[in-house]
Amino acid sequence: MKSVAASKIYEYLQQGLDKPKSVSGQRIGTELKFPLVERNNGCAVGLETVNALWKYLSNRDWEAIVDPITNEVVGASKPGEYNDTLASCETGFCKIEFSLAHVGDLHALARQIEALLVELTPFADEHQVSFLGCGIHPISPPSPELVIAKQRTLAWDTLFPEGEIVKDKPRPGLHLFTVNSGSHVHLSVSSAKQAVGATNVLNGFAGAQIALLGNSSVWQGKVDPDYLCVAEKFWDWWMPDEARVGLPSKSFIDIEDYGNAIAKLRPFYVERNQTPILINHYPTFADYYDSSSTVGKYLSGEEITIYPEPKDIKLHNSFYWFTARISRYFTVENRLCDQQAPGNLASPAALSLGLLSALPEAQEELSQFNWSTLKLMRQTAMKDGLDGEVEGIALADMAARMLELAQLGLERRKLGEEIYLQPLKQQLASKQNPAMEASEIFNQDGIKALIEARDILLGSRE
């Protein structure tokens, strides 16, 4: 018998994805995360510099965002045509995220990115800082001192304490995610069926994407000896005990199958009056939601009786981190890519949109592989990049086929957007992803050369 929670999650996703859209046509959004570092040494900036950034933006017609728990300014926003552009910190205050307002094509996205770079340049020059096109901070290690104090991080810090033993090893705390920087893409979809198909495709091509776009090899002041894509490996180190990170345990049959899988995941917390209340003692979200009432705990440890509410489903739907997932905003979110080098910031969106636009062909391509093989490709790609091979299949060949499909999809849109795939084609031709290039720069010329090469604003200053 299906649980109430599974049925409600299915209904929530089905209705949200299939309902008539207020805006017709494709919409693309991107979350651009950048390490913010001191220009002279590559170390993470202090909190005072980040607070100065919010003040700077507020003086340029952005509106300050105040955290409901701490009452501190933690970001800024400005209106877009369809939704707002948001500037914020994610887990670490030295990792700045710009969630750009959704647009209708990649050319509009490229214009947004260029406008953002121009806007940030005076601040960067005044404070002598650099926003980096890297997937990880190159010098400063993960640290509890870098965690930004705000509603969501305060809850995670309580749920996942530093040093907790999992599978006979200490689990890294929340601070692990203070230094990684990604490039996430949100794609609007026309139906629940398309959403599931796109999620499967973007997850299935995880190995090829990592091999081609990995950009997190230099961190803690050295080149990592094992991984070209350290940032993606963080998820496995943080949560080795639950199938809610990386690739899901299988591809999804339909939206009902997807909803069932989400209902089986352990819950973490709900919010009442914007305050987190922990419910992580339940083994699955279904166990929590199917109960008439339960005892939760405030972060202070004080107990409170609560009753499951429909809004808990939306929040729970953000508490798993597949490389691609159906977001609580009813978009398909590709969360996989490291932040890219300057000039290539639109490439992850181009790749994601291209695969969505060639969805039938992409599904057919992946149907020839076992899901277990695709999961092995993800693991191999983090280590070996484009030189990797799984079961006799070269990851470079998988990346080539993936790019062909993305090219097909963008050409199908007849907007000339395939030009944004060009950097990826060049990387494939040279068999050198951004991580390999970063390692070479660092080994040959040191951190200052890497900062200069990966400063996304350098072109805007010249």
Side-chain angles (χ1 to χ4, degrees), residues 150-229:
K150 62 178 184 178
Q151 181 190 50
R152 196 170 173 104
T153 54
L154 290 171
W156 294 123
D157 217 10
T158 303
L159 285 161
F160 296 96
E162 171 67 12
E164 179 186 18
I165 301 299
V166 180
K167 292 189 175 180
D168 299 324
K169 293 182 179 180
R171 182 206 300 269
L174 174 79
H175 70 270
L176 186 66
F177 297 100
T178 56
V179 297
N180 62 317
S181 293
S183 181
H184 298 181
V185 181
H186 286 263
L187 302 170
S188 67
V189 288
S190 59
S191 66
K193 181 179 179 180
Q194 187 185 43
V196 172
T199 301
N200 286 336
V201 162
L202 292 169
N203 278 322
F205 275 118
Q209 291 183 77
I210 293 169
L212 191 58
L213 287 87
N215 190 23
S216 50
S217 57
V218 180
W219 71 307
Q220 300 190 102
K222 62 181 184 296
V223 174
D224 191 273
D226 299 314
Y227 293 98
L228 290 171
C229 188

XYZ file of all heavy atoms in Angstrom, residues 150-229:
603
model
N 23.190 31.658 8.839
C 21.845 31.985 8.372
C 20.960 30.770 8.570
O 21.431 29.691 8.951
C 21.847 32.443 6.909
C 22.321 31.419 5.891
C 22.228 31.995 4.486
C 22.612 30.969 3.424
N 22.481 31.513 2.053
N 19.695 30.930 8.275
C 18.698 29.928 8.632
C 19.083 28.514 8.208
O 19.133 27.595 9.026
C 17.357 30.314 8.003
C 16.213 29.368 8.308
C 14.994 29.677 7.464
O 15.093 29.809 6.252
N 13.855 29.829 8.106
N 19.372 28.300 6.950
C 19.579 26.952 6.436
C 20.871 26.341 6.973
O 20.906 25.168 7.363
C 19.583 26.981 4.904
C 19.413 25.606 4.240
C 19.186 25.796 2.750
N 19.187 24.544 2.014
C 18.118 23.934 1.552
N 16.931 24.429 1.788
N 18.217 22.816 0.849
N 21.951 27.112 7.011
C 23.216 26.548 7.464
C 23.200 26.232 8.958
O 23.857 25.284 9.402
C 24.388 27.498 7.156
O 24.108 28.788 7.714
C 24.600 27.634 5.671
N 22.467 27.010 9.743
C 22.377 26.715 11.170
C 21.739 25.344 11.401
O 22.161 24.591 12.288
C 21.564 27.809 11.878
C 22.236 29.191 11.974
C 21.242 30.213 12.488
C 23.466 29.129 12.873
N 20.743 25.008 10.591
C 20.102 23.697 10.727
C 21.046 22.572 10.317
O 21.173 21.553 11.009
C 18.830 23.650 9.888
N 21.740 22.738 9.192
C 22.634 21.682 8.722
C 23.795 21.473 9.685
O 24.276 20.344 9.873
C 23.180 22.015 7.328
C 22.145 22.025 6.261
C 21.834 23.053 5.425
C 21.247 20.955 5.917
N 20.807 22.694 4.588
C 20.440 21.420 4.856
C 21.060 19.667 6.403
C 19.447 20.626 4.280
C 20.074 18.877 5.822
C 19.280 19.354 4.776
N 24.264 22.545 10.285
C 25.374 22.422 11.232
C 24.971 21.562 12.433
O 25.783 20.835 12.998
C 25.804 23.815 11.698
C 27.299 23.924 11.881
O 28.011 22.996 11.461
O 27.755 24.931 12.442
N 23.687 21.637 12.814
C 23.181 20.820 13.915
C 22.958 19.374 13.482
O 23.256 18.427 14.217
C 21.861 21.403 14.445
O 22.068 22.755 14.855
C 21.330 20.600 15.617
N 22.464 19.191 12.254
C 22.137 17.858 11.758
C 23.379 17.023 11.459
O 23.366 15.795 11.623
C 21.297 17.983 10.484
C 19.836 18.382 10.673
C 19.250 18.919 9.378
C 19.022 17.198 11.178
N 24.446 17.670 11.005
C 25.644 16.944 10.597
C 26.858 17.493 11.337
O 27.654 18.253 10.776
C 25.844 17.042 9.085
C 24.752 16.390 8.301
C 23.687 17.121 7.803
C 24.775 15.019 8.077
C 22.670 16.510 7.087
C 23.761 14.399 7.365
C 22.706 15.143 6.867
N 27.022 17.128 12.597
C 28.146 17.645 13.375
C 29.481 17.109 12.874
O 29.571 15.979 12.373
C 27.843 17.151 14.791
C 27.001 15.932 14.588
C 26.176 16.212 13.365
N 30.491 17.928 12.999
C 31.839 17.524 12.605
C 32.286 16.304 13.404
O 32.088 16.224 14.623
C 32.798 18.682 12.855
C 34.272 18.342 12.683
C 34.653 18.030 11.244
O 33.827 18.298 10.353
O 35.751 17.524 11.017
N 32.855 15.316 12.710
C 33.412 14.158 13.393
C 32.439 13.025 13.650
O 32.824 11.992 14.194
N 31.171 13.171 13.248
C 30.202 12.083 13.409
C 30.714 10.833 12.682
O 31.171 10.920 11.539
C 28.856 12.523 12.830
C 27.762 11.474 12.906
C 26.495 11.925 12.194
O 26.578 12.866 11.371
O 25.441 11.338 12.457
N 30.638 9.688 13.320
C 31.173 8.457 12.727
C 30.117 7.822 11.828
O 29.004 7.510 12.256
C 31.609 7.457 13.811
C 32.682 8.097 14.702
C 32.137 6.179 13.171
C 33.943 8.497 13.977
N 30.474 7.640 10.559
C 29.600 6.998 9.581
C 30.433 5.961 8.832
O 31.493 6.279 8.282
C 29.019 8.024 8.586
C 28.117 7.323 7.575
C 28.251 9.100 9.329
N 29.968 4.715 8.838
C 30.705 3.623 8.196
C 32.145 3.574 8.708
O 33.105 3.471 7.933
C 30.669 3.772 6.669
C 29.280 3.557 6.074
C 29.316 3.489 4.560
C 27.933 3.141 4.021
N 27.901 3.069 2.535
N 32.293 3.696 10.017
C 33.577 3.559 10.711
C 34.563 4.679 10.398
O 35.756 4.564 10.707
C 34.245 2.208 10.396
C 33.393 1.017 10.831
O 32.735 1.130 11.888
O 33.370 0.012 10.112
N 34.084 5.767 9.782
C 34.950 6.906 9.494
C 34.258 8.194 9.950
O 33.035 8.280 9.919
C 35.257 6.996 7.999
C 36.115 5.857 7.463
C 36.418 6.060 5.991
C 37.299 4.931 5.454
N 37.600 5.132 4.016
N 35.039 9.193 10.356
C 34.418 10.470 10.733
C 33.859 11.194 9.508
O 34.535 11.327 8.491
C 35.574 11.252 11.374
C 36.813 10.646 10.809
C 36.494 9.197 10.573
N 32.622 11.612 9.597
C 31.982 12.349 8.510
C 32.451 13.809 8.564
O 32.439 14.432 9.621
C 30.465 12.307 8.671
C 29.712 13.006 7.539
C 28.344 13.515 7.974
N 27.443 12.483 8.438
C 26.580 11.819 7.661
N 26.521 12.109 6.391
N 25.794 10.904 8.178
N 32.837 14.382 7.425
C 33.144 15.814 7.417
C 31.891 16.615 7.757
O 30.777 16.234 7.392
C 33.596 16.078 5.970
C 33.937 14.736 5.406
C 33.052 13.762 6.114
N 32.066 17.711 8.442
C 30.929 18.547 8.791
C 30.466 19.412 7.635
O 30.996 19.355 6.511
N 29.473 20.234 7.916
C 28.914 21.126 6.907
C 29.973 22.003 6.271
O 29.866 22.373 5.094
C 27.846 22.004 7.571
C 27.242 23.106 6.710
C 26.204 22.518 5.774
C 26.627 24.191 7.586
N 31.017 22.332 7.017
C 32.011 23.277 6.521
C 32.727 22.775 5.266
O 33.394 23.552 4.575
C 33.022 23.613 7.610
C 33.940 22.471 7.944
N 33.663 21.535 8.916
C 35.135 22.115 7.421
C 34.650 20.661 8.980
N 35.558 20.983 8.091
N 32.604 21.472 4.948
C 33.196 20.952 3.716
C 32.737 21.764 2.513
O 33.483 21.974 1.554
C 32.804 19.484 3.548
C 33.450 18.711 2.393
C 34.947 18.565 2.619
C 32.814 17.334 2.255
N 31.496 22.268 2.564
C 30.912 22.961 1.408
C 31.110 24.477 1.459
O 30.416 25.219 0.773
C 29.431 22.612 1.313
C 29.190 21.148 1.066
C 28.834 20.303 2.103
C 29.366 20.602 -0.190
C 28.642 18.949 1.889
C 29.179 19.247 -0.421
C 28.819 18.412 0.620
N 32.061 24.932 2.258
C 32.351 26.364 2.277
C 33.253 26.779 1.129
O 33.414 27.977 0.883
C 33.017 26.774 3.609
O 34.195 25.983 3.813
C 32.055 26.594 4.776
N 33.852 25.829 0.413
C 34.860 26.208 -0.590
C 34.557 25.727 -2.008
O 35.243 26.114 -2.948
C 36.260 25.703 -0.169
C 36.702 26.367 1.126
C 36.303 24.181 -0.045
N 33.559 24.863 -2.210
C 33.265 24.377 -3.562
C 32.363 25.364 -4.294
O 31.517 26.017 -3.695
C 32.595 23.003 -3.507
C 31.264 23.031 -2.797
O 31.117 23.674 -1.751
N 30.274 22.344 -3.352
N 32.556 25.484 -5.601
C 31.784 26.458 -6.386
C 31.334 25.841 -7.698
O 32.173 25.399 -8.496
C 32.618 27.713 -6.669
O 32.877 28.425 -5.480
N 30.035 25.813 -7.922
C 29.484 25.165 -9.097
C 28.789 26.117 -10.047
O 28.704 27.328 -9.822
N 28.281 25.539 -11.113
C 27.489 26.266 -12.103
C 26.239 25.430 -12.366
O 26.274 24.471 -13.138
C 28.292 26.457 -13.398
O 27.556 27.180 -14.352
N 25.158 25.772 -11.678
C 23.915 25.007 -11.791
C 23.013 25.629 -12.857
O 23.013 26.844 -13.036
C 23.179 24.970 -10.456
C 23.948 24.293 -9.367
N 23.446 24.139 -8.086
C 25.180 23.711 -9.346
C 24.352 23.504 -7.342
N 25.397 23.244 -8.084
N 22.245 24.774 -13.512
C 21.360 25.226 -14.591
C 19.938 24.779 -14.298
O 19.711 23.613 -13.937
C 21.809 24.655 -15.954
C 20.893 25.160 -17.065
C 23.270 25.019 -16.239
N 18.981 25.696 -14.425
C 17.556 25.385 -14.295
C 16.899 25.488 -15.666
O 17.046 26.507 -16.357
C 16.868 26.353 -13.328
C 17.197 26.108 -11.892
N 16.373 25.373 -11.053
C 18.253 26.485 -11.136
C 16.913 25.320 -9.851
N 18.056 25.983 -9.868
N 16.160 24.448 -16.025
C 15.475 24.401 -17.319
C 13.984 24.217 -17.106
O 13.572 23.320 -16.369
C 16.008 23.232 -18.154
C 17.511 23.232 -18.453
C 17.922 21.904 -19.057
C 17.880 24.373 -19.387
N 13.187 25.061 -17.740
C 11.746 24.846 -17.691
C 11.391 23.647 -18.558
O 12.066 23.346 -19.545
C 10.995 26.093 -18.167
O 11.228 26.334 -19.543
N 10.338 22.951 -18.172
C 9.876 21.772 -18.906
C 8.382 21.889 -19.123
O 7.679 22.598 -18.400
C 10.212 20.466 -18.160
C 11.709 20.177 -18.219
C 9.746 20.521 -16.717
N 7.890 21.160 -20.112
C 6.481 21.285 -20.497
C 5.584 20.265 -19.810
O 4.355 20.413 -19.831
C 6.350 21.131 -22.014
O 6.850 19.860 -22.429
N 6.176 19.230 -19.206
C 5.354 18.178 -18.609
C 6.178 17.374 -17.613
O 7.415 17.430 -17.591
C 4.835 17.230 -19.702
O 5.915 16.521 -20.294
N 5.475 16.600 -16.793
C 6.152 15.708 -15.853
C 6.946 14.647 -16.604
O 8.050 14.277 -16.187
C 5.118 15.046 -14.942
N 6.419 14.170 -17.714
C 7.133 13.168 -18.500
C 8.456 13.713 -19.005
O 9.497 13.042 -18.927
C 6.265 12.713 -19.675
C 6.926 11.650 -20.551
C 6.011 11.226 -21.691
C 6.704 10.179 -22.576
N 5.823 9.746 -23.697
N 8.454 14.937 -19.509
C 9.692 15.542 -19.990
C 10.672 15.776 -18.836
O 11.880 15.589 -18.983
C 9.404 16.865 -20.704
C 10.632 17.457 -21.383
C 10.372 18.825 -21.975
O 9.732 19.674 -21.355
N 10.872 19.062 -23.191
N 10.144 16.158 -17.682
C 11.006 16.406 -16.527
C 11.744 15.143 -16.112
O 12.956 15.174 -15.837
C 10.175 16.932 -15.362
N 11.041 14.018 -16.044
C 11.675 12.762 -15.661
C 12.705 12.347 -16.699
O 13.822 11.934 -16.371
C 10.622 11.659 -15.459
C 11.291 10.301 -15.250
C 9.729 11.994 -14.272
N 12.348 12.479 -17.977
C 13.284 12.118 -19.042
C 14.549 12.956 -19.001
O 15.667 12.434 -19.128
N 14.401 14.267 -18.802
C 15.566 15.152 -18.753
C 16.430 14.863 -17.536
O 17.667 14.893 -17.609
C 15.100 16.608 -18.749
N 15.793 14.570 -16.402
C 16.547 14.234 -15.190
C 17.368 12.974 -15.410
O 18.552 12.911 -15.044
C 15.587 14.048 -14.002
O 14.850 15.251 -13.794
C 16.343 13.710 -12.738
N 16.767 11.970 -16.015
C 17.498 10.733 -16.300
C 18.678 10.980 -17.238
O 19.772 10.436 -17.042
C 16.564 9.702 -16.923
C 15.608 9.079 -15.924
O 15.870 9.054 -14.725
N 14.488 8.567 -16.410
N 18.473 11.798 -18.258
C 19.535 12.054 -19.240
C 20.693 12.817 -18.617
O 21.864 12.470 -18.801
C 18.965 12.806 -20.465
C 20.071 13.461 -21.282
C 18.164 11.848 -21.335
N 20.389 13.869 -17.875
C 21.454 14.662 -17.265
C 22.199 13.851 -16.208
O 23.424 13.986 -16.064
C 20.881 15.950 -16.680
C 20.361 16.945 -17.714
C 19.574 18.065 -17.046
C 21.515 17.528 -18.532
N 21.497 13.006 -15.468
C 22.174 12.101 -14.543
C 22.997 11.059 -15.300
O 24.133 10.746 -14.927
C 21.157 11.404 -13.638
C 20.736 12.241 -12.449
O 21.545 12.943 -11.861
N 19.463 12.173 -12.093
N 22.426 10.520 -16.359
C 23.111 9.472 -17.115
C 24.406 9.940 -17.752
O 25.359 9.167 -17.874
N 24.449 11.197 -18.156
C 25.663 11.748 -18.751
C 26.568 12.400 -17.702
O 27.449 13.195 -18.047
C 25.314 12.768 -19.829
C 25.050 12.167 -21.188
C 23.809 12.309 -21.786
C 26.042 11.468 -21.856
C 23.556 11.769 -23.042
C 25.803 10.906 -23.113
C 24.553 11.058 -23.707
N 26.390 12.064 -16.429
C 27.198 12.674 -15.372
C 28.691 12.459 -15.607
O 29.496 13.394 -15.494
C 26.790 12.117 -14.006
N 29.089 11.222 -15.930
C 30.503 10.951 -16.141
C 31.081 11.770 -17.269
O 32.188 12.320 -17.155
N 30.349 11.870 -18.362
C 30.827 12.646 -19.506
C 30.926 14.131 -19.161
O 31.877 14.817 -19.562
C 29.887 12.438 -20.694
N 29.947 14.633 -18.388
C 29.988 16.046 -18.004
C 31.172 16.338 -17.092
O 31.875 17.347 -17.262
C 28.684 16.432 -17.299
C 27.464 16.446 -18.199
C 26.224 16.904 -17.453
O 26.030 18.093 -17.195
N 25.381 15.955 -17.085
N 31.409 15.492 -16.104
C 32.528 15.696 -15.192
C 33.853 15.614 -15.944
O 34.761 16.428 -15.735
C 32.487 14.660 -14.056
C 31.276 14.892 -13.159
C 33.771 14.715 -13.225
C 31.021 13.766 -12.177
N 33.960 14.634 -16.829
C 35.197 14.466 -17.588
C 35.517 15.713 -18.398
O 36.679 16.116 -18.518
C 35.072 13.250 -18.511
N 34.502 16.352 -18.935
C 34.693 17.488 -19.835
C 34.785 18.812 -19.098
O 35.521 19.714 -19.521
C 33.530 17.523 -20.834
C 33.641 18.469 -22.034
C 34.880 18.150 -22.864
C 32.386 18.363 -22.891
N 34.046 18.969 -17.991
C 33.951 20.262 -17.329
C 34.579 20.308 -15.940
O 34.536 21.344 -15.278
C 32.487 20.699 -17.224
C 31.815 21.155 -18.525
C 31.218 19.965 -19.262
C 30.715 22.166 -18.257
N 35.154 19.212 -15.456
C 35.773 19.207 -14.136
C 36.787 20.331 -13.983
O 37.621 20.546 -14.871
N 36.731 21.037 -12.833
C 37.577 22.228 -12.674
C 37.886 22.470 -11.201
O 37.831 23.591 -10.721
C 36.867 23.450 -13.279
C 37.768 24.663 -13.369
O 38.985 24.550 -13.391
N 37.169 25.837 -13.415
N 38.202 21.403 -10.469
C 38.453 21.561 -9.033
C 39.600 20.655 -8.580
O 39.446 19.848 -7.677
C 37.181 21.276 -8.226
O 36.583 20.048 -8.621
N 40.740 20.814 -9.213
C 41.920 19.997 -8.891
C 42.892 20.704 -7.959
O 43.671 20.039 -7.262
C 42.651 19.607 -10.181
O 43.020 20.781 -10.904
N 42.890 22.046 -7.957
C 43.813 22.807 -7.124
C 43.060 23.314 -5.905
O 42.154 24.138 -6.017
C 44.422 23.995 -7.901
C 45.387 24.775 -7.000
C 45.141 23.515 -9.160
N 43.431 22.812 -4.728
C 42.793 23.274 -3.505
C 43.734 23.014 -2.328
O 44.665 22.214 -2.428
C 41.427 22.598 -3.313
C 41.431 21.139 -2.945
C 42.068 20.116 -3.598
C 40.764 20.551 -1.840
N 41.815 18.918 -2.979
C 41.017 19.149 -1.879
C 39.960 21.031 -0.811
C 40.510 18.263 -0.942
C 39.452 20.144 0.126
C 39.728 18.779 0.050
N 43.499 23.735 -1.254
C 44.359 23.665 -0.070
C 45.827 23.925 -0.421
O 46.742 23.382 0.188
C 44.205 22.331 0.652
C 42.784 22.063 1.134
C 42.682 20.862 2.051
O 42.579 20.998 3.262
N 42.692 19.667 1.464
N 46.028 24.769 -1.439
C 47.374 25.185 -1.797
C 48.195 24.194 -2.570
O 49.414 24.336 -2.683
N 47.546 23.178 -3.157
C 48.293 22.192 -3.941
C 47.357 21.508 -4.929
O 46.133 21.650 -4.858
C 48.936 21.154 -3.031
C 47.969 20.330 -2.207
C 48.705 19.343 -1.307
C 47.761 18.434 -0.527
N 46.915 19.174 0.415
N 47.957 20.780 -5.848
C 47.177 19.975 -6.791
C 46.791 18.673 -6.105
O 47.651 17.982 -5.529
C 47.986 19.679 -8.072
C 47.223 18.727 -8.986
C 48.303 20.977 -8.808
N 45.512 18.337 -6.134
C 45.061 17.101 -5.493
C 45.706 15.898 -6.190
O 45.715 15.813 -7.424
C 43.539 16.989 -5.580
C 43.009 15.870 -4.705
O 42.948 14.724 -5.183
O 42.672 16.149 -3.545
N 46.236 14.957 -5.430
C 46.930 13.814 -6.044
C 45.996 12.779 -6.665
O 46.450 11.932 -7.444
C 47.705 13.212 -4.874
C 46.903 13.572 -3.657
C 46.330 14.929 -3.950
N 44.712 12.845 -6.339
C 43.796 11.787 -6.774
C 42.675 12.250 -7.696
O 42.219 11.474 -8.543
C 43.168 11.116 -5.547
C 44.193 10.459 -4.651
O 45.071 9.748 -5.182
O 44.122 10.652 -3.423
N 42.212 13.485 -7.527
C 40.988 13.895 -8.213
C 41.176 15.161 -9.039
O 41.799 16.127 -8.591
C 39.854 14.124 -7.201
C 39.400 12.871 -6.511
C 39.881 12.543 -5.247
C 38.504 11.996 -7.133
C 39.473 11.374 -4.611
C 38.098 10.831 -6.507
C 38.584 10.526 -5.249
O 38.183 9.364 -4.627
N 40.598 15.131 -10.241
C 40.490 16.329 -11.069
C 39.235 17.111 -10.711
O 39.158 18.311 -10.949
C 40.450 15.951 -12.553
C 41.742 15.408 -13.151
C 41.490 14.871 -14.563
C 42.820 16.482 -13.188
N 38.255 16.420 -10.159
C 36.981 17.051 -9.779
C 36.713 16.744 -8.309
O 35.899 15.882 -7.975
C 35.844 16.546 -10.668
S 34.284 17.432 -10.432
